[in-house]
């Protein structure tokens, strides 16, 4: 889909489908919709009167123009209640419009920039959100299906039309950011949706090496051993798939921020074997690594003015005769010892060494992203990611960036009282309490020990990385969650 900007009146725009909008509870459309309505002899107003157009968020109504304007058809998309309007509603409306355009096989589509007029949004941000909703909304994972998809239809051109030509520069900037972010989000979704026999640690390393404008270093087993990253490499002891610790650097000079993504390409649980029901879903356990990898691509393409290092500790967690066992004690890069109570709490093991590696680089801030705990799904479902940290400002910045990006983050506590649960008699810490209390926080507190004094935030995406059912502009399957939020935080 080629995305363009155009200055001029949408009424005169020649295309297959012209998209305008309306809010809920309005009797008369405003702005561009009003201008179009006039030419269509009040067709829109009449449909509002008859109750067909209700303006509910994402609701679409098609009108045939019959030569009254150059466009073949007009689509009125609902923006919902004006009192509830915000940036993320633009994404939902845009995705609904693109879905309808695909359904009627419209090749050339023109749209007004939802929310930039009456909605009161900044035009660059509205344009960016519109592009994100369109491209993220149009995503479909076909994987390895060999049969041709008959329903597949690629929209050729989407034009963002604005009356005031002084705004075009800002619109163009918004389009570019939206395109880069959407590409990264959809790439991350591809990685997470793909099966674990394709997306292995080695595959992720090869993918990292293809990112333009970054330098990549891959640490294999021998070097990881030499460095003392026992918490990390021990996770892969039961697997035939070689572990890869991937480091992606962007920017000139010393990195100030480290992004760390859990990269378990399959989590069988190890000797603490998971039940077989829905076990296939554990191919998504590298969603944190996918998000970091694609965030690195996006900030490189956006030429962000920050030095950032992405760290992807990747491994497969499998049971076999060589696998680590519950009760084992391992060392770690930070020198701390860990008693393994459950080999299924492997994410925090690989992240512990990822965080320690970041500390060796003397970064100022660490953000880790991980499908860490099933308990986070119990607490927040798929509506929000859990966030914890030792620096409230960093947590607040991420929550705010998430709000702008349409990705909810909900802070969970790191209470002192919880520390009692993971005390070990034979090592510095246990990798889990074994009590099933405050699961996401126990995971967070474990990581906090390794973050030491560095500002750090931990994002648990176990519930948000994958949707069982389509929601808004996100199809079922992988969501690419946290790419948008972290790029939003780092892009300026
Ligand atoms: N990868 C899982 C967490 C997970 C579960 C992610 C479901 C996505 C969907 C993680 O490694 C794990 O197994 N965590 C354990 C921790 C426990 C042993 C302390 C869990 O959640 O049960
Ligand atoms: Zn696990
Ligand atoms: Zn896991």
């Amino acid at each position: 889909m080629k995305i363009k900007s155009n200055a001029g009146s949408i009424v005169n725009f020649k295309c297959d489908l012209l998209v305008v909008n309306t809010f809920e509870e309005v009797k008369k459309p405003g702005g561009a919709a009003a201008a179009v309505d006039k030419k269509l002899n009040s067709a829109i107003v009449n449909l509002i009167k008859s109750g067909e157009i209700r303006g509910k968020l994402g609701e679409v109504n098609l009108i045939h123009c019959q030569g009254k304007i150059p466009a073949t058809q007009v689509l009125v998309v609902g923006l919902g209640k004006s009192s509830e309007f915000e940036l993320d509603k633009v994404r939902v409306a845009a995705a609904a419009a693109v879905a309808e355009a695909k359904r009627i096989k419209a090749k050339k589509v023109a749209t007004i920039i939802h929310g930039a007029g009456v909605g009161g949004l900044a035009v660059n941000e509205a344009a960016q959100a519109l592009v994100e909703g369109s491209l993220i909304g149009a995503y479909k994972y076909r994987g390895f299906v060999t049969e041709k998809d008959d329903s597949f239809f690629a929209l050729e051109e989407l034009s963002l039309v604005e009356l005031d030509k002084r705004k075009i520069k800002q619109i163009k900037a918004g389009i570019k950011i939206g395109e880069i972010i959407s590409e990264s989000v959809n790439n991350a979704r591809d990685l997470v949706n793909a099966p674990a026999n394709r997306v292995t640690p080695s595959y992720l390393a090869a993918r990292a090496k293809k990112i333009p404008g970054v330098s990549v270093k891959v640490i294999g087993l021998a070097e990881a051993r030499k460095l003392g990253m026992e918490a990390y490499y021990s996770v892969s002891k039961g697997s035939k798939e070689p572990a890869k610790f991937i480091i992606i650097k962007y920017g000139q000079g010393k990195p100030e921020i480290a992004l760390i993504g859990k990269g378990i390409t399959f989590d069988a649980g190890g000797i603490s074997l998971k039940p077989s029901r829905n076990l296939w879903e554990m191919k998504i356990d590298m969603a944190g690594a996918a998000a970091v990898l694609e965030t690195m691509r996006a900030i490189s393409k956006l030429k962000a003015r920050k030095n950032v290092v992405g760290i992807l500790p990747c491994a497969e967690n499998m049971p076999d005769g060589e696998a680590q066992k519950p009760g084992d004690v391992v060392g770690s890069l930070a020198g701390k010892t860990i008693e393994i109570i459950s080999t299924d709490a492997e994410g925090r093991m690989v992240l512990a060494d990822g965080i320690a590696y970041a500390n060796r680089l003397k970064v100022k801030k660490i953000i880790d992203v991980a499908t860490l705990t099933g308990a986070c799904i119990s607490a927040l479902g798929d509506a929000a990611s859990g966030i914890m940290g030792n620096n409230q400002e960093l947590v607040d910045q991420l929550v705010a960036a998430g709000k702008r990006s349409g990705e909810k983050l909900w802070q969970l506590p790191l209470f002192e009282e919880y520390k009692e649960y993971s005390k070990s008699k034979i090592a510095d810490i246990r990798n889990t309490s074994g009590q099933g209390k405050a699961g996401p926080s126990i995971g967070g507190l474990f990581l906090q020990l390794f973050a030491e004094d560095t500002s750090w935030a931990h994002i648990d995406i176990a519930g948000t990385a994958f949707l069982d059912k389509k929601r808004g502009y996100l199809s079922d399957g992988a969501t690419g969650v946290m790419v948008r939020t972290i790029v939003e935080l780092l892009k300026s």
Side-chain angles (χ1 to χ4, degrees):
M1 185 186 323
K2 199 168 164 22
I3 302 183
K4 292 180 171 175
S5 59
N6 275 83
S9 166
I10 196 156
V11 179
N12 305 323
F13 206 87
K14 190 169 161 38
C15 56
D16 303 315
L17 186 69
L18 199 149
V19 184
V20 296
N21 63 47
T22 184
F23 282 108
E24 209 175 316
E25 291 152 3
V26 297
K27 300 270 177 293
K28 264 185 157 180
V36 170
D37 191 46
K38 212 168 145 196
K39 294 274 185 190
L40 297 181
N41 305 334
S42 305
I44 299 177
V45 170
N46 291 337
L47 287 168
I48 293 175
K49 265 192 203 143
S50 71
E52 258 176 85
I53 294 181
R54 294 174 303 169
K56 291 216 179 293
L57 182 64
E59 181 189 80
V60 289
N61 282 276
L62 261 182
I63 302 168
H64 291 263
C65 303
Q66 290 157 339
K68 289 174 191 139
I69 55 172
T72 313
Q73 297 188 72
V74 162
L75 186 76
V76 185
V77 56
L79 298 182
K81 291 198 175 74
S82 59
S83 58
E84 290 170 8
F85 188 67
E86 39 131 12
L87 210 47
D88 205 40
K89 305 282 166 36
V90 178
R91 296 187 187 94
V92 178
V98 163
E100 188 64 6
K102 285 175 98 171
R103 191 185 69 80
I104 65 164
K105 299 203 185 314
K107 281 190 185 145
K108 222 179 143 193
V109 177
T111 179
I112 58 162
I113 302 166
H114 310 303
V118 201
L121 301 174
V123 74
N124 58 331
E125 288 180 6
Q128 182 191 329
L130 194 148
V131 170
E132 288 172 3
S134 303
L135 296 176
I136 294 169
Y139 174 87
K140 187 173 177 187
Y141 183 69
R142 291 265 303 161
F144 302 86
V145 180
T146 55
E147 204 183 319
K148 223 176 128 247
D149 181 2
D150 289 333
S151 73
F152 182 77
F153 177 80
L155 213 150
E156 280 170 17
E157 194 181 290
L158 177 68
S159 295
L160 277 56
V161 185
E162 166 59 47
L163 201 55
D164 184 352
K165 69 169 185 285
R166 287 168 305 180
K167 291 185 179 164
I168 293 294
K169 205 176 150 196
Q170 278 185 295
I171 293 169
K172 282 206 157 84
I175 292 176
K176 190 175 165 215
I177 298 173
E179 284 185 313
I180 290 171
I181 291 179
S182 305
E183 184 203 6
S184 275
V185 169
N186 290 345
N187 282 344
R189 293 162 97 186
D190 275 345
L191 286 172
V192 176
N193 279 325
N197 62 333
R198 305 279 172 197
V199 178
T200 59
S202 310
Y203 180 81
L204 288 172
R207 280 289 285 257
K209 285 181 180 160
K210 286 193 188 132
I211 302 174
V214 300
S215 64
V216 176
K217 177 179 160 71
V218 179
I219 296 179
L221 181 62
E223 198 183 342
R225 275 214 179 101
K226 219 159 74 197
L227 287 166
M229 298 157 89
E230 197 181 7
Y232 160 67
Y233 69 74
S234 295
V235 168
S236 71
K237 274 172 70 185
S239 168
K240 293 272 181 300
E241 210 49 73
K244 303 283 172 190
F245 191 97
I246 306 162
I247 302 135
I248 310 170
K249 271 191 192 160
Y250 167 77
Q252 255 73 57
K254 249 176 55 133
E256 314 136 55
I257 303 168
L259 307 175
I260 307 176
K262 171 176 172 183
I264 301 298
T265 55
F266 190 75
D267 182 14
I271 295 299
S272 311
L273 190 61
K274 284 184 182 292
S276 64
R277 198 173 160 260
N278 289 339
L279 188 50
W280 64 272
E281 271 187 19
M282 279 305 115
K283 68 176 183 176
I284 72 154
D285 216 17
M286 36 55 74
V292 170
L293 190 145
E294 286 301 327
T295 297
M296 296 307 292
R297 181 198 311 282
I299 61 170
S300 170
K301 284 197 163 178
L302 289 167
K303 301 197 167 52
R305 282 193 296 271
K306 287 196 175 76
N307 298 327
V308 184
V309 60
I311 299 173
L312 283 52
C314 299
E316 195 182 62
N317 188 23
M318 298 285 274
D320 93 338
E322 283 178 82
Q324 60 180 353
K325 302 166 289 293
D328 284 359
V329 173
V330 296
S332 66
L333 183 60
K336 298 183 205 308
T337 54
I338 305 162
E339 183 185 8
I340 298 163
I341 298 301
S342 170
T343 63
D344 197 12
E346 83 300 335
R348 61 201 72 180
M349 304 296 288
V350 305
L351 291 172
D353 279 347
I355 291 171
Y357 194 93
N359 267 337
R360 288 215 172 169
L361 297 176
K362 301 215 174 338
V363 297
K364 297 211 167 61
K365 288 176 194 164
I366 297 173
I367 300 166
D368 78 73
V369 189
T371 45
L372 205 73
T373 64
C376 195
I377 315 177
S378 306
L380 304 173
D382 57 20
S385 305
I387 182 165
M388 289 143 256
N390 61 7
N391 180 306
Q392 195 55 41
E393 196 187 332
L394 181 60
V395 170
D396 290 343
Q397 283 171 351
L398 278 159
V399 173
K403 193 160 171 26
R404 291 193 293 277
S405 309
E407 297 184 324
K408 286 195 180 73
L409 290 153
W410 194 261
Q411 189 171 5
L412 298 168
L414 294 172
F415 292 136
E416 278 294 313
E417 289 87 334
Y418 299 152
K419 287 188 181 166
E420 199 58 42
Y421 305 170
S422 6
K423 281 202 171 135
S424 166
K425 289 199 176 95
I426 61 167
D428 296 334
I429 192 166
R430 293 174 147 200
N431 76 335
T432 159
S433 66
Q435 298 180 37
K437 289 182 192 165
S441 303
I442 292 298
L445 281 164
F446 181 91
L447 300 174
Q448 187 179 33
L449 186 73
F450 293 87
E452 296 178 346
D453 296 329
T454 312
S455 292
W456 152 85
H458 156 61
I459 304 175
D460 194 332
I461 58 168
T464 48
F466 198 83
L467 293 179
D468 300 325
K469 242 178 89 186
K470 170 185 171 26
R471 187 182 64 215
Y473 48 89
L474 292 169
S475 57
D476 59 342
T479 58
V481 72
M482 286 307 124
V483 171
R484 283 185 279 145
T485 297
I486 300 176
V487 174
E488 173 67 27
L489 183 83
L490 300 178
K491 79 175 196 283
S492 48

